[in-house]
Amino acid sequence: LGVVFVGDGAPAGSYGYTNSGYSVYEEENERLTESLRTKVSAIKSLSIEIGTEVKNQNKMLSEMDNDFDSTGGLLGATMGRLRTLSRGSQTKLLCYMMLFSLFVFFVIYWIIKMR
């Protein structure tokens, strides 16, 4: 059996490899590898940015949670004061409200008369 040679002197079983050590396939593999490397780098950069954004959002949510807790405490204290007021004498509170209403009525009446 003899070895069949392709036009450039390479044996037919070498599937187009040249004598220089690099083939068209190797060059294409290098190009595709570099393209893949670029894409992986872009994805890595994007994932790092997403991680940073998630950390910032978690920090902001934690601050909002603290703000809501303090507001809840303030509202709770206010509701406690209102309960204390409502437990007091109802007649006294009703009398004060009637006096205030009469005062507002007379002020409005006086303003209308002055025109």
Side-chain angles (χ1 to χ4, degrees), residues 4 6 9 14-15 29 33-34 40 49 63 65 75 77 81 85 104 107-108 112:
V4 178
V6 184
S14 67
Y15 299 106
N29 280 343
T33 303
E34 186 60 35
V40 167
E49 289 176 15
E63 291 172 0
D65 188 37
L75 285 175
R81 289 185 195 121
L85 280 175
V104 170
V107 168
I108 291 173
I112 291 174

Side-chain angles (χ1 to χ4, degrees), residues 90-103:
Q90 295 294 328
T91 55
K92 229 181 193 182
L93 185 62
L94 186 60
C95 183
Y96 286 139
M97 288 185 66
M98 290 292 284
L99 286 174
F100 179 73
S101 299
L102 286 172
F103 174 74

Side-chain angles (χ1 to χ4, degrees), residues 39-84:
K39 290 176 184 176
V40 167
S41 175
I43 290 173
K44 178 183 176 185
S45 165
L46 186 62
S47 66
I48 289 172
E49 289 176 15
I50 289 172
T52 303
E53 185 66 25
V54 166
K55 286 178 186 177
N56 289 337
Q57 294 293 327
N58 283 339
K59 181 180 174 186
M60 190 182 305
L61 285 173
S62 175
E63 291 172 0
M64 283 178 59
D65 188 37
N66 292 339
D67 290 344
F68 282 129
D69 284 344
S70 66
T71 303
L74 181 64
L75 285 175
T78 303
M79 291 302 292
R81 289 185 195 121
L82 284 175
R83 275 190 222 107
T84 303

Side-chain angles (χ1 to χ4, degrees), residues 15-47:
Y15 299 106
Y17 285 110
T18 60
N19 289 334
S20 67
Y22 283 101
S23 73
V24 175
Y25 297 116
E26 288 177 346
E27 289 174 6
E28 185 176 348
N29 280 343
E30 289 294 324
R31 184 181 55 79
L32 291 173
T33 303
E34 186 60 35
S35 173
L36 185 61
R37 185 176 294 124
T38 303
K39 290 176 184 176
V40 167
S41 175
I43 290 173
K44 178 183 176 185
S45 165
L46 186 62
S47 66

